[in-house]
Amino acid sequence: MKTVGFATLGCRLNQVESQEMRALVERAGYRAVDDGEAANVYVVNTCTVTSRADFSDRQAIRRIIRANPDALVVVTGCLAQTDPDALARMPGVDLVLGNQEKYRLPELLGSLVRRERPDVRVGRIADARHVPSAPVTRMSGRSRAFLKVQDGCQHRCAFCIVPAARGRSRSQEPKVLMEQVEALVEAGYGEITLTGVDIGHYGWDLVPRTSLAALVAKLAEVGGLRWLRLSSVLPAYFTPELIHAVTTIPVVAPHLHLPLQSGSDRVLRLMRRPYNTAMYRALVERLAAIIPDLGLGADVIVGHPGESESDFEATMALVEETPLSYLHVFAYSDRKGTEAAKMGDRVAAAVIRGRSARLRALGDEKSLAFRRGLVGRDREVLVLEGREPEGTLTGLTSNFVEVTFAGPEGLGRRFATVRLTEADRRGARGILEAA
């Protein structure tokens, strides 16, 4: 029996797709191994969001080849989609699979052998019209389940290569998703996060057309589901129906991630983002006013071509004035093949580093203030598995705060009530009240 190991780089969606491939190969009779265990075949699921990511992909591939000279190596994911020839030229690579072709992994493993030149199976992602179904009932090594509801993106943001790697937006059928949620809950997962590239666009391509709001309402009916969480959703997708869904359906977690990227309307236009700062501000303030203790995150890119000092100060001001509880700050770097990479008016690397440090510091202050606001209160948490030394557990609150506390073994993937007792820059701590 062939054994298969997986190495995943990049985003949450890549992690989900590695779990899907793992489930597919296991269903076909192969054995998927855990990290650190030797395998006959290694599958490297790559990222290409930045040039730095490409470099990390190649490093990971070379490490696996050096450590496992007799194993066969399959490379898939976004770098495989955008630059398959470069990967095929790497010594030790045996098969290159595009983002749609990765779901053919089980059938291709049967004929996988070492060849003089690697086999390359990469189709035109622009022609993809469906999301392959790969039911997952176990998330290896994870307490939380993630469900891919959508792939691809309709937008053409100036800094982003994702449409070239993922194709146009396409949605999974609601019936398939309902069955997967039911199976995950049956397997013991009380929290499920809906993920994709652009999940706010969910359902626009289906016949009959549906929406993310309708999907959330339908999945919330599954008995035994405790928390339904949304991954990143663009502000422009928050229709009255979606606002109603996230503010009134009890199982929807009080945690949202709304990418900002810049607090300057001028830079947002350069980025080709489909919203402005007034829209963003109004939405986050409305949501925070309706949802108690809303955990609210945002992505920000620092140093996009054309960003002036006043543009950056506008970003600092918007972050300071809005009820954000955490930030993901990214220093801009060129990505070959994007519009931004061809723009003039570059921001110096030292300036980008300085601005990034200031924004991260502000994000840390916002996060600390949010955590301190929960001290002295009881919160339900999902206990995460394998995160801390013996006798110490970590729980994740519905509003996305990690809390460490003393507790017995065997609580992983279960819900418990914890009283938060303190919060500082290291995190939040609490006392177990009930499990």
Side-chain angles (χ1 to χ4, degrees), residues 139-152:
M139 308 295 289
S140 177
R142 297 194 175 276
S143 307
R144 307 161 59 212
F146 296 84
L147 180 63
K148 177 180 170 181
V149 303
Q150 177 274 343
D151 201 352

Side-chain angles (χ1 to χ4, degrees), residues 1-5 38-42 70-73:
M1 175 190 294
K2 280 183 179 175
T3 53
V4 186
N40 306 127
V41 180
Y42 287 90
D70 296 326
L72 297 166
V73 174

Side-chain angles (χ1 to χ4, degrees), residues 11-320:
C11 67
R12 180 76 68 187
L13 185 57
N14 266 11
Q15 296 175 29
V16 174
E17 290 178 341
S18 288
Q19 296 286 354
E20 291 179 331
M21 287 187 285
R22 183 186 183 101
L24 289 172
V25 300
E26 289 178 333
R27 184 178 306 172
Y30 300 100
R31 185 169 73 86
V33 305
D34 294 325
D35 290 346
E37 188 177 351
N40 306 127
V41 180
Y42 287 90
V43 179
V44 186
N45 196 5
T46 60
C47 172
T48 192
V49 69
T50 64
S51 298
R52 178 75 182 175
D54 291 358
F55 177 74
S56 298
D57 292 338
R58 293 187 179 94
Q59 279 189 318
I61 294 166
R62 292 188 183 106
R63 279 197 303 269
I64 288 172
I65 292 170
R66 282 197 304 269
N68 308 276
D70 296 326
L72 297 166
V73 174
V74 180
V75 183
T76 186
C78 290
L79 181 58
Q81 184 65 51
T82 58
D83 201 355
D85 292 339
L87 293 174
R89 289 192 296 269
M90 292 184 67
V93 172
D94 301 292
L95 174 63
V96 180
L97 294 178
N99 268 329
Q100 286 290 93
E101 290 76 18
K102 66 174 59 168
Y103 294 94
R104 295 181 56 200
L105 178 63
E107 67 176 273
L108 295 172
L109 285 179
S111 59
L112 183 60
V113 295
R114 183 143 293 157
R115 297 181 173 90
E116 185 177 339
R117 288 183 54 80
D119 190 8
V120 177
R121 306 289 184 100
V122 180
R124 270 176 44 87
I125 197 66
D127 296 335
R129 294 294 183 272
H130 73 287
V131 178
S133 176
V136 175
T137 58
R138 182 174 68 93
M139 308 295 289
S140 177
R142 297 194 175 276
S143 307
R144 307 161 59 212
F146 296 84
L147 180 63
K148 177 180 170 181
V149 303
Q150 177 274 343
D151 201 352
C153 188
Q154 296 299 99
H155 303 289
R156 294 296 181 268
C157 297
F159 55 82
C160 187
I161 196 66
V162 169
R166 291 280 181 176
R168 67 175 64 187
S169 179
R170 50 205 187 277
S171 308
Q172 184 59 271
E173 293 288 343
K175 180 177 182 295
V176 172
L177 297 174
M178 190 73 170
E179 291 171 350
Q180 291 189 13
V181 169
E182 290 171 345
L184 286 165
V185 172
E186 179 67 23
Y189 291 96
E191 177 192 324
I192 295 175
T193 298
L194 306 185
T195 189
V197 175
D198 187 25
I199 69 170
H201 198 266
Y202 176 82
W204 289 30
D205 58 310
L206 296 178
V207 179
R209 177 178 286 191
T210 184
S211 67
L212 180 60
L215 178 67
V216 167
K218 187 67 176 173
L219 298 182
E221 298 173 1
V222 174
L225 178 63
R226 297 283 289 275
W227 294 346
L228 184 64
R229 199 182 296 272
L230 303 183
S231 60
S232 182
V233 183
L234 282 172
Y237 289 125
F238 275 83
T239 61
E241 292 78 16
L242 184 56
I243 292 174
H244 179 77
V246 301
T247 58
T248 63
I249 297 176
V251 300
V252 175
H255 164 229
L256 294 167
H257 190 93
L258 278 62
L260 171 61
Q261 308 306 7
S262 176
S264 161
D265 284 333
R266 192 181 73 84
V267 174
L268 288 176
R269 288 192 296 270
L270 289 173
M271 291 178 167
R272 300 195 183 280
R273 299 295 283 177
Y275 53 86
N276 57 36
T277 56
M279 179 192 300
Y280 191 94
R281 185 191 296 268
L283 176 62
V284 298
E285 290 177 349
R286 180 179 180 185
L287 292 169
I290 299 172
I291 304 173
D293 300 322
L294 173 64
L296 187 59
D299 299 327
V300 182
I301 295 174
V302 175
H304 187 277
E307 181 188 76
S308 67
E309 188 64 33
S310 62
D311 292 322
F312 174 72
E313 292 299 337
T315 298
M316 290 285 290
L318 184 60
V319 170
E320 176 65 48

